[in-house]
């Protein structure tokens, strides 16, 4: 090992790490806009899914994706794209949000939603609302028209009444299959996971043509929730987070674990710092450089930011945080978009209703895990 080269390389790299401003990347292949959506993760078994049902879910996901794509392709904002994508899923009885929300222990539908703008990290969230057709729009009104971030129950409804949002009676939110889940849960003394097998929360993340990120999440929570239980979906930092410096994330899963890990913000924070410090990559790069004197001469630490801004690093950060959720006993998944337009899915369940698209022609919707076996996507590297 050439000691002098090693120290030169190390010093140059540390200088880069200490100066985040120089860590800008210039990714010429980056899409101009990107979007990813989810409609919940969980035990989605191939043998329990009829082709008709799968087609129905895929069509609903594609409709949501199309609504978000249209906004972005026309130059609209990431915030508008997120709302446009979430609304059709809130209006569909297939997903556990808005119309298809699960029932509380008392037999009500109580809705949670949150939204965040990566430009200025302004955020809005509501929990326990019962009359608002599209809670994602109310969350955004909290962001834009109130001095607060998070409103609950009656107070949130009172605030909503002056905002011109569409309301609906309880019958709009009551779906037979969700009611049967609650009845079964009570009769057979089951947990929410036993009766639902999957989480149906919906969410979207987007990068717009101006380089801004946004994330939004909407849910009915978990079947049989009681005592005013609030999950992760409306909690900024747990179920939703967006920061132009790192990423935008929307989560679905067993909310208690996502709150404990602070999943959405944890991933974004890792990416923000990971753009400068990914120790494994750093050590690999440094050892490659120092073992080759010619390379060491040419070594340019400004090459590192491109690696730290890559899709691989984003996937690793997401998988590693989801592995922490798993280690604690929780499950679920996330969608993510980076400032370079990389879209990432990570879930430790056998499936996640999901979709993604970008300005370069990418368009896909999927239900099951990557492997035919239904293996989860998250394969943490430590
Ligand atoms: N995360 C949601 C909650 O815990 C449930 C879901 O994802 O469907 O309330």
């Amino acid at each position: 090992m050439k000691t002098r080269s090693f120290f030169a390389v190390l010093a140059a790299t540390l200088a880069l790490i200490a100066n985040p401003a120089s860590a800008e990347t210039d990714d010429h292949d980056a899409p101009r806009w990107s979007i990813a959506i989810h409609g919940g993760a969980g035990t989605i078994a191939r043998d329990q899914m009829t082709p008709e049902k799968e087609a129905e879910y895929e069509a609903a996901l594609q409709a949501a994706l199309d609504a978000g794509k249209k906004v972005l392709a026309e130059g609209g904002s990431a915030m508008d794209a997120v709302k446009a994508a979430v609304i059709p899923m809130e209006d569909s009885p297939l997903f556990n949000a808005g119309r298809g929300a699960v029932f509380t222990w008392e037999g009500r539908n109580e809705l949670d939603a949150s939204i965040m703008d990566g430009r200025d990290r302004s955020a809005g969230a509501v929990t326990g609302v019962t009359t608002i057709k599209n809670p994602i729009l109310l969350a955004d009104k909290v962001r834009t028209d109130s001095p607060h971030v998070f409103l609950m129950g009656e107070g949130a409804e009172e605030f909503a009444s002056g905002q011109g949002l569409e309301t609906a009676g309880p019958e709009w939110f009551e779906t037979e299959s969700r009611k049967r889940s609650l009845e079964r849960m009570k009769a057979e003394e089951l947990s929410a996971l036993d009766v639902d097998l999957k989480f149906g929360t919906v969410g979207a993340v987007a990068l717009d043509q101006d380089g801004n990120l946004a994330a939004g999440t909407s849910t009915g929570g978990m079947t049989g929730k009681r005592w005013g239980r609030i999950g992760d979906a409306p909690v900024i930092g747990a179920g939703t987070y967006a920061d132009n410096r790192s990423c935008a994330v929307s989560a679905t899963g067993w909310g208690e674990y996502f709150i404990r890990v602070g999943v959405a913000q944890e991933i974004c924070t890792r990416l923000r710092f990971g753009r400068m410090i990914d120790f494994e990559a750093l050590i690999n790069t440094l050892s490659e450089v120092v073992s080759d004197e010619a390379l060491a001469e040419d070594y340019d630490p400004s090459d590192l930011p491109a690696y730290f801004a890559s899709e691989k690093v984003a996937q690793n950060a997401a998988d590693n945080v989801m592995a922490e959720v798993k280690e604690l006993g929780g499950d679920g998944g996330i969608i993510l978009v980076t400032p370079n337009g990389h879209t990432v899915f990570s879930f430790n369940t056998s499936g996640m209703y999901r979709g993604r698209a970008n300005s370069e022609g990418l368009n896909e919707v999927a239900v099951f895990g990557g492997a035919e076996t239904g293996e989860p996507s998250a394969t943490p590297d430590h």
Side-chain angles (χ1 to χ4, degrees):
M1 181 188 285
K2 309 281 180 292
T3 317
R4 267 189 35 218
S5 308
F6 177 79
F7 283 116
V9 165
L10 189 63
T13 305
L14 290 176
L16 176 82
I17 288 169
N19 181 14
S22 67
E24 296 301 320
T25 59
D26 186 14
D27 189 342
H28 295 293
D29 299 329
R32 282 173 293 115
W33 56 262
S34 281
I35 182 167
I37 60 166
H38 71 79
T43 312
I44 307 168
R46 266 186 205 281
D47 54 6
Q48 280 164 23
M49 175 75 91
T50 62
E52 294 75 29
K53 200 80 191 154
E54 190 175 346
E56 205 184 339
Y57 273 107
E58 285 179 355
L61 289 168
Q62 188 63 58
L65 200 55
D66 287 345
K69 280 169 68 174
K70 185 167 185 297
V71 172
L72 295 169
E74 289 172 359
S77 70
M79 286 295 287
D80 284 344
V82 162
K83 286 181 275 181
V86 167
I87 288 169
M89 293 191 281
E90 287 183 330
D91 289 342
S92 163
L94 291 177
F95 304 104
N96 170 21
R99 186 160 182 211
V102 297
F103 282 80
T104 65
W105 188 259
E106 291 77 22
R108 288 151 50 92
N109 305 103
E110 294 180 358
L111 316 168
D112 301 337
S114 63
I115 192 162
M116 187 160 183
D117 189 336
R119 270 178 295 208
D120 55 1
R121 282 170 280 159
S122 59
V126 291
T127 183
V129 297
T130 55
T131 67
I132 307 301
K133 247 177 129 178
N134 297 109
I136 194 75
L137 295 180
L138 179 56
D140 198 36
K141 285 286 187 188
V142 172
R143 185 184 72 88
T144 56
D145 288 62
S146 90
H148 306 299
V149 166
F150 203 175
L151 300 182
M152 65 173 260
E154 278 177 24
E157 304 270 355
E158 195 186 324
F159 166 74
S161 66
Q163 299 297 328
L165 297 175
E166 210 177 332
T167 56
E171 63 293 342
W172 170 258
F173 302 103
E174 286 170 10
T175 52
E176 263 317 301
S177 65
R178 301 291 191 200
K179 194 177 264 177
R180 278 200 303 275
S181 293
L182 177 67
E183 285 162 2
R184 237 187 97 218
M185 179 185 201
K186 287 184 169 180
E188 298 173 34
E189 297 186 10
L190 298 169
S191 76
L193 293 187
D194 293 328
V195 289
D196 285 333
L197 295 177
K198 62 180 167 44
F199 308 98
T201 290
V202 307
V205 294
L207 164 74
D208 65 29
Q209 297 192 36
D210 294 324
N212 295 313
L213 301 178
T217 312
S218 182
T219 190
M222 289 173 78
T223 298
K225 64 183 182 180
R226 61 203 298 201
W227 308 309
R229 180 263 187 194
I230 303 168
D232 60 313
V235 177
I236 296 296
T240 301
Y241 202 73
D243 180 347
N244 274 6
R245 296 172 300 176
S246 52
C247 67
V249 173
S250 169
T252 173
W254 196 342
E256 279 69 11
Y257 293 91
F258 282 69
I259 293 173
R260 287 167 60 190
V261 174
V263 167
Q265 188 173 8
E266 173 74 17
I267 296 171
C268 288
T269 303
R270 285 187 189 201
L271 282 185
R272 185 150 63 88
F273 292 114
R275 282 175 159 236
M276 295 159 275
I277 308 171
D278 174 329
F279 285 109
E280 201 186 334
L282 195 56
I283 289 162
N284 286 343
T285 310
L286 289 179
S287 12
E288 242 173 67
V289 170
V290 296
S291 62
D292 180 334
E293 198 174 3
L295 203 58
E297 301 272 292
D298 287 347
Y299 174 68
D300 181 356
S302 64
D303 292 342
L304 283 175
Y307 176 79
F308 293 133
S310 68
E311 184 170 341
K312 181 172 179 277
V313 168
Q315 185 75 54
N316 276 348
D319 289 351
N320 290 336
V321 174
M322 286 309 301
E324 281 191 23
V325 169
K326 188 85 192 162
E327 269 163 33
L328 295 179
D331 53 7
I334 64 97
I335 54 173
L336 176 157
V337 67
T338 70
N340 303 58
H342 302 304
T343 43
V344 162
F345 302 116
S346 179
F347 49 101
N348 56 31
T349 49
S350 60
M352 179 162 82
Y353 297 102
R354 61 198 186 278
R356 62 178 167 179
N358 69 23
S359 55
E360 307 311 290
L362 172 72
N363 181 95
E364 59 186 35
V365 294
V367 173
F368 300 102
E372 276 304 301
T373 53
E375 280 303 304
S377 76
T379 45
D381 61 356
H382 62 73

